[in-house]
Amino acid sequence: TIVDTSECMEFTGSFDGTVKDFDGTYSVKLYLDNKLITTQVLKVKKKFAVLLNKNSLYTVKVEKDGYIPKTVSVNTTVPDKIEMTDLYRFHFETNLLSNDLSVHFDDDDIDFPVALVSYGKKCDCFEFNKQYTESLIHRMVNDLMFGG
C-alpha cells in the first residue's frame, strides 16, 4: 500500500506576550521521525509557520537562549477517507520559562512535549490533548510551588 504523505497542515506558533522582556531571536526546529529537517531563526515578535505532511510524526521545538525549550509532538495521521480540499491549520501560542527555573522541575517534565497534537474526528480538525497538557502543567506548577 502507498501511504499518502501530501501536505496536510500549516502549523503556526507565536509567543503569547506574557514574557515582557522578550527581545532578540528564537529558533524553531522541525523534526520528522526524530531527524532534524529544518530550522528557522525568527525575531520574537514574528510567528513561525511550517507545512506538515500527512501520516507523519513531527516534533516542533521552540528554543531561545536563556530559556527552557518547549516541544510539541504532532501526529498528522488522518483517516484515508477524508477528502483534503484545503490545508488544516493549527496555531500554537506559548511562552518560555527562564532556565533559572529548571532546577525546580523534574528533567522528564522539561523534556516531554508540552502538547500532543493529533487529528480529532468529531471536529474534523487537529487539536491538542488537553488532559495530557493539563496534567504536565499541574505537575510542573506543583514542583515549582511545593518543591516536587
Side-chain angles (χ1 to χ4, degrees), residues 64-136:
K64 180 163 176 37
D65 286 344
Y67 293 86
I68 300 169
K70 238 180 214 174
T71 59
V72 176
S73 177
V74 185
N75 179 345
T76 60
T77 301
V78 292
D80 289 336
K81 62 182 180 283
I82 294 212
E83 219 29 72
M84 291 284 303
T85 54
D86 198 9
L87 289 178
Y88 287 99
R89 301 196 188 294
F90 187 89
H91 184 72
F92 168 71
E93 226 177 55
T94 191
N95 59 22
L96 294 177
L97 297 173
S98 169
N99 268 339
D100 300 345
L101 294 173
S102 63
V103 296
H104 299 288
F105 301 125
D106 188 305
D107 285 347
D108 282 345
D109 287 343
I110 289 174
D111 294 337
F112 282 143
V114 70
L116 304 176
V117 176
S118 60
Y119 178 77
K121 279 189 184 117
K122 282 185 182 156
C123 65
D124 184 30
C125 68
F126 280 87
E127 55 189 356
F128 73 99
N129 180 324
K130 289 180 180 65
Q131 286 174 310
Y132 169 86
T133 298
E134 285 169 6
S135 167
L136 180 66

Side-chain angles (χ1 to χ4, degrees), residues 30-93:
L30 180 63
Y31 296 84
L32 174 61
D33 298 325
N34 295 321
K35 290 187 198 77
L36 179 64
I37 54 172
T38 63
T39 301
Q40 296 178 22
V41 177
L42 302 155
K43 296 210 177 299
V44 293
K45 302 277 187 247
K46 284 193 69 94
K47 76 176 183 179
F48 69 85
V50 290
L51 288 176
L52 306 182
N53 293 341
K54 257 191 199 172
N55 300 317
S56 303
L57 192 56
Y58 290 95
T59 302
V60 178
K61 189 172 193 176
V62 178
E63 298 176 317
K64 180 163 176 37
D65 286 344
Y67 293 86
I68 300 169
K70 238 180 214 174
T71 59
V72 176
S73 177
V74 185
N75 179 345
T76 60
T77 301
V78 292
D80 289 336
K81 62 182 180 283
I82 294 212
E83 219 29 72
M84 291 284 303
T85 54
D86 198 9
L87 289 178
Y88 287 99
R89 301 196 188 294
F90 187 89
H91 184 72
F92 168 71
E93 226 177 55

Side-chain angles (χ1 to χ4, degrees), residues 13-28:
S14 60
F15 292 110
D16 64 10
T18 58
V19 184
K20 296 296 178 227
D21 60 347
F22 241 30
D23 59 7
T25 60
Y26 71 105
S27 68
V28 176

